[in-house]
């Protein structure tokens, strides 16, 4: 892990909730390496916004604990990367097989696309449960339980005899897989703050981004030797390995003194308080709508590229991997070059603008405004759209989580749930007109991209915070 983020104990008295760069009611958290600041032990304690539990007064990670975490930082980074890679691995390895699943189970394409929707919905709902659980019982136990259930559900998917049963166990697979997503983000929030957190999210994108590159390639190759059931068998093995790695190497990052002791009522009050924070809600919805643009591509591209433009599963896998490389490259430019030099809001706004332009270009091409276009222009538009996600996704997460040190698990759950729910809604819409047109995909992408920009401007209101920072308020 980067060594400039400072220990959690050092940062304990630096206000973040309601005072970070996303705040519109208090001075911003200083940009830069907050952990390097010299903090007076007698400084005022962190206070949470109204309706949220206060940050614990004691029990955070001590300086020796943080140093120990840094000694194994690379390994922990790889574990967290693996956890965040599991959802795209579960989705993208399966993508080249969608047409084959349609034929094998004798179900319509729209029904088979519901297997993606079910997995996404499960990941969304599961995060609402696992996030508060991790704030109360720590990060390890809920994570290990979720991983075990994920392995079992994935193994049953490999044996599913019907589309209905496959949809049901994809839902369970998503519910269990949610543990890795939400807890990985919460662990990052436990250890990092401010700009360093944004940089770490970009690092995670580099690691987890390998999954969308290799997953369709692996899926396409598996399809050469077996059928779609073999893909789920491979995913089962990946789940087993990742579970063992988590059990052996990922230690607890939320000590007992920092955990919430309340039950369901407190969890609901915490989430209600987070949703009442206009700026947090703005970043959450903006990120969710951006994810919907991404998932419209994920769910429709196998049919668009293979059925409409006649590409083979292997060609589709290569194109998908190329787009993922673009996302990773831009994510690394964001983390290594832009974060700390340019306002996160400015970078985010630029990324959203590029997404809108790419989506509009795809809509014009698919509706025939430019005449008959081939695969190359469509692939170029999708590449630009995917690459811009490299600044949209990490920066919305970082800006939202900077406001929520007091309830990282619950905040992470809301961020993930909103993204996956909106993505689950977008998934069946892209196939509403059948397999022979890409227009629904482009329409969904344009609507969601424009809505994301409107939400960012209307709720986050970045110019207000920029004005206060410039005036030294």
């Amino acid at each position: 892990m980067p060594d400039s983020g400072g220990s959690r104990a050092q940062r304990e008295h630096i206000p973040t909730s309601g005072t970070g760069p996303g705040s519109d009611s208090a001075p911003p958290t200083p940009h830069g390496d907050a952990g390097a600041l010299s903090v007076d032990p007698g400084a005022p304690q962190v206070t949470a916004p109204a309706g949220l539990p206060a940050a614990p007064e004691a029990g955070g990670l001590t300086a020796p604990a943080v140093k120990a975490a840094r000694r194994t930082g690379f390994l922990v980074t790889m574990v967290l990367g693996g956890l965040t890679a599991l959802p795209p691995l579960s989705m993208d390895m399966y993508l080249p097989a969608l047409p084959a699943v349609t034929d094998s189970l004798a179900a319509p394409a729209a029904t088979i696309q519901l297997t993606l929707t079910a997995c996404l919905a499960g990941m969304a709902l599961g995060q609402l449960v696992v996030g508060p659980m991790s704030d109360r019982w720590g990060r390890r136990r809920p994570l290990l339980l979720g991983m075990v259930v994920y392995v079992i559900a994935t193994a049953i998917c490999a044996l599913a005899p019907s589309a209905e049963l496959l949809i049901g166990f994809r839902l369970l697979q998503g519910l269990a897989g949610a543990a890795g997503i939400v807890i990985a983000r919460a662990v990052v929030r436990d250890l990092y703050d401010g700009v360093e957190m944004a940089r770490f999210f970009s690092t995670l994108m580099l690691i987890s981004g390998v999954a969308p590159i290799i997953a369709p390639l692996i899926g396409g190759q598996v399809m050469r030797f077996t059928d779609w059931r073999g893909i789920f068998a491979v995913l089962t093995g990946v789940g087993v390995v990742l579970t063992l790695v988590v059990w052996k190497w990922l230690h607890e990052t939320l000590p007992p003194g920092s955990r919430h002791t309340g039950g369901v009522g407190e969890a609901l009050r915490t989430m209600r308080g987070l949703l009442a924070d206009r700026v947090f809600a703005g970043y959450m919805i903006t990120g969710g709508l951006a994810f919907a643009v991404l998932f419209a591509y994920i769910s429709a591209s196998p049919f668009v590229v293979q059925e409409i433009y006649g590409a083979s599963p292997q060609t589709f896998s290569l194109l998908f991997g190329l787009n993922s490389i673009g996302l990773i490259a831009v994510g690394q430019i964001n983390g290594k070059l832009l974060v700390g030099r340019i306002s996160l809001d400015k970078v985010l706004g630029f990324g959203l603008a590029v997404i809108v332009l790419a989506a509009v270009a795809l809509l014009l091409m698919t509706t025939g405004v430019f005449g008959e276009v081939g695969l190359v222009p469509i692939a170029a538009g999708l590449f630009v759209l995917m690459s811009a996600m490299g600044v949209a996704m990490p920066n919305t997460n970082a800006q939202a989580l900077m406001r929520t040190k007091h309830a990282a698990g619950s905040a992470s759950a809301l961020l993930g749930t909103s993204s996956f729910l909106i993505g689950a809604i977008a998934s069946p819409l892209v196939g509403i007109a059948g397999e022979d047109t890409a227009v629904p995909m482009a329409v969904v992408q344009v609507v969601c991209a424009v809505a994301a920009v409107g939400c960012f401007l209307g709720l986050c209101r970045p110019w207000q915070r920029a004005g206060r920072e410039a005036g030294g308020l």
Side-chain angles (χ1 to χ4, degrees), residues 149-163:
V149 176
Y150 172 88
V151 169
I152 295 172
T154 305
I156 296 177
C157 284
L159 305 174
S162 67

Side-chain angles (χ1 to χ4, degrees), residues 51-53 123-139 181-187 189-190 254 258-275 280 284 397 400-401 403-419:
L52 297 177
M123 289 179 181
L125 298 175
Q127 291 183 71
L128 287 177
V129 176
V130 176
M133 283 175 60
S134 72
D135 281 339
R136 183 176 183 183
W137 289 301
R139 312 304 187 199
I181 309 169
V182 67
I183 291 177
R185 277 196 303 263
V187 168
R189 188 63 185 93
D190 290 340
L254 187 68
S258 296
R259 299 173 190 175
H260 299 165
T261 57
V264 175
E266 181 180 339
L268 293 176
R269 284 191 297 273
T270 298
M271 290 186 175
R272 185 169 63 246
L274 290 167
L275 293 174
F280 173 84
M284 178 188 74
N397 282 337
L401 286 173
R403 304 175 64 82
T404 58
K405 173 178 277 189
H406 52 282
S410 296
S412 178
L414 287 174
L415 289 171
T417 296
S418 62
S419 295

Side-chain angles (χ1 to χ4, degrees), residues 144-209:
L144 286 171
L145 176 62
M147 293 301 301
V148 169
V149 176
Y150 172 88
V151 169
I152 295 172
T154 305
I156 296 177
C157 284
L159 305 174
S162 67
E164 292 75 17
L165 196 61
L166 180 60
I167 290 170
F169 279 98
R170 285 283 279 175
L171 176 65
L172 181 60
Q173 183 190 43
L175 286 167
I181 309 169
V182 67
I183 291 177
R185 277 196 303 263
V187 168
V188 174
R189 188 63 185 93
D190 290 340
L191 298 175
Y192 287 90
D193 202 356
V195 168
E196 285 303 315
M197 182 168 58
R199 287 177 177 153
F200 195 84
F201 275 126
S202 293
T203 301
L204 282 187
M205 180 169 289
L206 171 63
I207 300 168
S208 63

Side-chain angles (χ1 to χ4, degrees), residues 170-425:
R170 285 283 279 175
L171 176 65
L172 181 60
Q173 183 190 43
L175 286 167
I181 309 169
V182 67
I183 291 177
R185 277 196 303 263
V187 168
V188 174
R189 188 63 185 93
D190 290 340
L191 298 175
Y192 287 90
D193 202 356
V195 168
E196 285 303 315
M197 182 168 58
R199 287 177 177 153
F200 195 84
F201 275 126
S202 293
T203 301
L204 282 187
M205 180 169 289
L206 171 63
I207 300 168
S208 63
V210 173
I213 294 175
I214 66 173
L217 297 174
I218 295 174
Q221 295 305 312
V222 169
M223 290 287 290
R224 298 181 65 178
F225 301 101
T226 181
D227 59 7
W228 60 270
R229 299 180 188 277
I231 293 177
F232 284 108
V234 172
L235 286 172
T236 301
V238 171
V240 170
V241 171
L242 191 53
T243 302
L244 293 174
V245 169
V246 168
W247 176 74
K248 183 171 179 61
W249 282 300
L250 186 62
H251 302 295
E252 184 59 65
T253 60
L254 187 68
S258 296
R259 299 173 190 175
H260 299 165
T261 57
V264 175
E266 181 180 339
L268 293 176
R269 284 191 297 273
T270 298
M271 290 186 175
R272 185 169 63 246
L274 290 167
L275 293 174
D277 179 352
R278 173 177 54 78
V279 180
F280 173 84
Y283 286 118
M284 178 188 74
I285 300 172
T286 299
L289 289 166
F291 185 82
V293 176
L294 174 65
F295 198 73
Y297 157 74
I298 290 174
S299 58
S301 59
F303 296 98
V304 170
V305 174
Q306 296 179 75
E307 300 296 327
I308 298 176
Y309 292 97
S312 67
Q314 289 71 35
T315 300
F316 164 73
S317 300
L318 289 172
L319 289 175
F320 197 93
L322 181 63
N323 291 341
S324 300
I325 290 174
L327 186 150
I328 293 171
V330 173
Q332 293 315 292
I333 292 172
N334 176 67
K336 305 298 183 184
L337 300 179
L338 302 181
V339 170
R341 294 179 174 86
I342 302 175
S343 162
L344 293 182
D345 280 327
K346 288 182 180 179
V347 178
L348 174 57
F350 176 78
L352 292 174
V354 173
I355 291 171
V356 170
L357 292 175
V360 170
L362 286 168
L363 180 60
L364 294 176
M365 286 188 285
T366 55
T367 53
V369 171
F370 301 126
E372 185 111 6
V373 298
L375 177 60
V376 172
I378 295 293
L382 291 173
F383 177 81
V384 173
L385 184 145
M386 278 282 283
S387 298
M389 293 293 171
V391 294
M393 293 191 295
N395 289 343
T396 51
N397 282 337
Q399 288 286 63
L401 286 173
M402 274 190 232
R403 304 175 64 82
T404 58
K405 173 178 277 189
H406 52 282
S410 296
S412 178
L414 287 174
L415 289 171
T417 296
S418 62
S419 295
F420 283 104
L421 279 180
I422 296 174
I425 293 171

